[in-house]
Coordinates of all heavy atoms in Angstrom, one line a residue:
R96 N -83.5 -17.1 56.8 CA -84.0 -16.4 58.0 C -84.9 -17.3 58.8 O -86.0 -17.6 58.3 CB -84.7 -15.1 57.6 CG -85.0 -14.2 58.9 CD -86.0 -13.1 58.5 NE -86.0 -12.0 59.5 CZ -87.1 -11.3 59.7 NH1 -88.2 -11.4 59.0 NH2 -87.0 -10.3 60.6
L97 N -84.5 -17.7 60.0 CA -85.3 -18.5 60.8 C -86.1 -17.6 61.8 O -85.7 -16.6 62.2 CB -84.4 -19.4 61.7 CG -83.5 -20.3 60.9 CD1 -82.8 -21.3 61.9 CD2 -84.2 -21.1 59.8
S98 N -87.3 -18.1 62.0 CA -88.2 -17.4 63.0 C -88.5 -18.3 64.1 O -88.7 -19.5 63.9 CB -89.5 -16.9 62.3 OG -89.2 -16.0 61.2
C99 N -88.7 -17.7 65.3 CA -89.2 -18.4 66.5 C -90.4 -17.7 67.0 O -90.2 -16.5 67.5 CB -88.0 -18.5 67.5 SG -88.5 -19.2 69.1
A100 N -91.5 -18.3 66.8 CA -92.8 -17.6 67.3 C -93.2 -18.2 68.6 O -93.3 -19.4 68.9 CB -93.9 -17.9 66.3
A101 N -93.3 -17.2 69.6 CA -93.7 -17.6 70.9 C -95.2 -17.3 71.1 O -95.8 -16.4 70.6 CB -92.9 -16.8 71.9
S102 N -95.8 -18.2 71.9 CA -97.2 -18.0 72.2 C -97.5 -18.4 73.7 O -96.7 -19.2 74.3 CB -98.1 -18.9 71.3 OG -97.8 -20.2 71.4
G103 N -98.6 -17.9 74.2 CA -99.0 -18.3 75.6 C -98.5 -17.3 76.6 O -99.2 -17.2 77.6
V104 N -97.3 -16.8 76.4 CA -96.7 -15.8 77.4 C -96.0 -14.8 76.6 O -95.4 -15.1 75.6 CB -95.8 -16.6 78.3 CG1 -95.1 -15.6 79.3 CG2 -96.5 -17.7 79.2
K105 N -96.0 -13.5 77.1 CA -95.2 -12.5 76.5 C -93.7 -12.8 76.8 O -93.4 -13.1 78.0 CB -95.6 -11.1 77.0 CG -96.9 -10.7 76.5 CD -97.0 -10.5 75.0 CE -96.2 -9.3 74.6 NZ -96.3 -9.0 73.1
I106 N -92.8 -12.7 75.9 CA -91.4 -13.1 76.1 C -90.5 -11.9 76.5 O -89.3 -12.0 76.4 CB -90.9 -13.8 74.8 CG1 -90.9 -12.8 73.6 CG2 -91.6 -15.1 74.5 CD1 -90.2 -13.4 72.4
T107 N -91.1 -10.8 76.9 CA -90.3 -9.6 77.1 C -89.2 -9.9 78.1 O -88.1 -9.3 78.0 CB -91.3 -8.6 77.7 OG1 -92.4 -8.4 76.9 CG2 -90.5 -7.2 77.9
Y108 N -89.4 -10.7 79.1 CA -88.3 -11.0 80.1 C -87.6 -12.3 79.9 O -86.8 -12.7 80.8 CB -88.9 -10.9 81.5 CG -89.6 -9.6 81.8 CD1 -91.0 -9.4 81.8 CD2 -88.8 -8.4 82.0 CE1 -91.6 -8.2 82.1 CE2 -89.4 -7.2 82.2 CZ -90.8 -7.1 82.3 OH -91.3 -5.9 82.5
Y109 N -87.8 -12.9 78.7 CA -87.1 -14.2 78.5 C -85.9 -14.0 77.6 O -86.0 -13.3 76.6 CB -88.1 -15.1 77.7 CG -89.1 -15.8 78.6 CD1 -90.3 -15.1 79.0 CD2 -89.0 -17.1 79.0 CE1 -91.2 -15.7 79.7 CE2 -89.9 -17.7 79.8 CZ -91.1 -17.0 80.1 OH -92.0 -17.6 80.9
A110 N -84.8 -14.6 78.0 CA -83.7 -14.7 77.1 C -84.1 -15.8 76.1 O -84.7 -16.8 76.4 CB -82.4 -15.1 77.8
I111 N -83.7 -15.6 74.8 CA -83.9 -16.6 73.8 C -82.6 -17.0 73.2 O -81.8 -16.2 72.9 CB -84.8 -16.0 72.7 CG1 -86.1 -15.5 73.3 CG2 -85.1 -17.1 71.6 CD1 -87.1 -16.5 73.9
G112 N -82.5 -18.3 72.9 CA -81.3 -18.8 72.3 C -81.6 -19.7 71.1 O -82.6 -20.3 71.1
W113 N -80.7 -19.6 70.1 CA -80.8 -20.5 69.0 C -79.7 -21.6 69.2 O -78.5 -21.2 69.4 CB -80.6 -19.8 67.7 CG -81.8 -19.1 67.2 CD1 -82.0 -17.7 67.3 CD2 -82.9 -19.6 66.5 NE1 -83.2 -17.4 66.8 CE2 -83.8 -18.5 66.2 CE3 -83.3 -20.9 66.1 CZ2 -85.0 -18.7 65.6 CZ3 -84.5 -21.0 65.4 CH2 -85.3 -20.0 65.2
F114 N -80.0 -22.8 69.1 CA -79.1 -23.9 69.2 C -79.2 -24.8 68.0 O -80.3 -24.7 67.3 CB -79.4 -24.7 70.5 CG -79.2 -23.9 71.7 CD1 -80.2 -23.1 72.2 CD2 -78.1 -23.9 72.5 CE1 -80.1 -22.3 73.3 CE2 -77.9 -23.2 73.6 CZ -79.0 -22.4 74.0
R115 N -78.3 -25.6 67.7 CA -78.4 -26.5 66.5 C -77.7 -27.9 66.9 O -76.9 -27.9 67.7 CB -77.7 -25.9 65.3 CG -76.2 -25.7 65.4 CD -75.7 -25.0 64.1 NE -74.2 -24.8 64.2 CZ -73.6 -24.1 63.3 NH1 -74.2 -23.4 62.3 NH2 -72.2 -24.0 63.4
Q116 N -78.2 -28.9 66.2 CA -77.7 -30.2 66.3 C -77.6 -30.9 65.0 O -78.6 -31.0 64.3 CB -78.6 -31.0 67.3 CG -77.9 -32.4 67.6 CD -78.6 -33.1 68.8 OE1 -79.8 -32.8 69.1 NE2 -77.9 -34.0 69.4
A117 N -76.4 -31.2 64.6 CA -76.1 -31.9 63.4 C -76.1 -33.4 63.7 O -75.9 -33.8 64.8 CB -74.7 -31.5 62.8
P118 N -76.3 -34.2 62.6 CA -76.4 -35.7 62.8 C -75.1 -36.2 63.4 O -74.0 -35.8 63.0 CB -76.5 -36.2 61.4 CG -77.2 -35.1 60.7 CD -76.7 -33.8 61.2
G119 N -75.2 -37.0 64.5 CA -74.0 -37.5 65.1 C -73.3 -36.6 66.0 O -72.2 -37.0 66.5
K120 N -73.8 -35.4 66.2 CA -73.0 -34.4 67.0 C -73.9 -33.9 68.2 O -75.1 -34.1 68.1 CB -72.6 -33.2 66.2 CG -71.6 -33.5 65.1 CD -71.1 -32.3 64.4 CE -70.0 -32.6 63.4 NZ -69.5 -31.4 62.7
E121 N -73.3 -33.4 69.2 CA -74.0 -32.8 70.3 C -74.7 -31.5 69.9 O -74.2 -30.8 69.0 CB -73.1 -32.6 71.5 CG -72.6 -33.9 72.1 CD -71.8 -33.6 73.4 OE1 -71.6 -32.5 73.7 OE2 -71.4 -34.6 74.0
R122 N -75.7 -31.1 70.6 CA -76.3 -29.8 70.3 C -75.4 -28.7 70.8 O -74.7 -28.8 71.8 CB -77.7 -29.7 71.1 CG -78.5 -28.5 70.8 CD -79.9 -28.7 71.1 NE -80.2 -29.2 72.4 CZ -81.4 -29.7 72.8 NH1 -82.4 -29.7 71.9 NH2 -81.6 -30.1 74.0
E123 N -75.3 -27.7 70.0 CA -74.4 -26.6 70.3 C -75.1 -25.2 70.2 O -76.1 -25.1 69.5 CB -73.2 -26.6 69.3 CG -73.6 -26.3 67.9 CD -72.4 -26.2 66.9 OE1 -71.2 -26.3 67.4 OE2 -72.6 -26.1 65.7

């Protein structure tokens, strides 16, 4: 289970995405 903790601003109106990048590959 990955967590993404936001600070500084309330994220209520923000879309959030998870992306990943494997060695030698583009981020997806």
Side-chain angles (χ1 to χ4, degrees):
R96 188 192 197 207
L97 304 184
S98 298
C99 175
S102 62
V104 175
K105 292 295 289 183
I106 59 170
T107 308
Y108 300 108
Y109 283 80
I111 306 292
W113 284 98
F114 299 82
R115 68 186 180 186
Q116 188 166 21
K120 295 187 177 181
E121 292 188 355
R122 187 157 51 194
E123 63 175 356

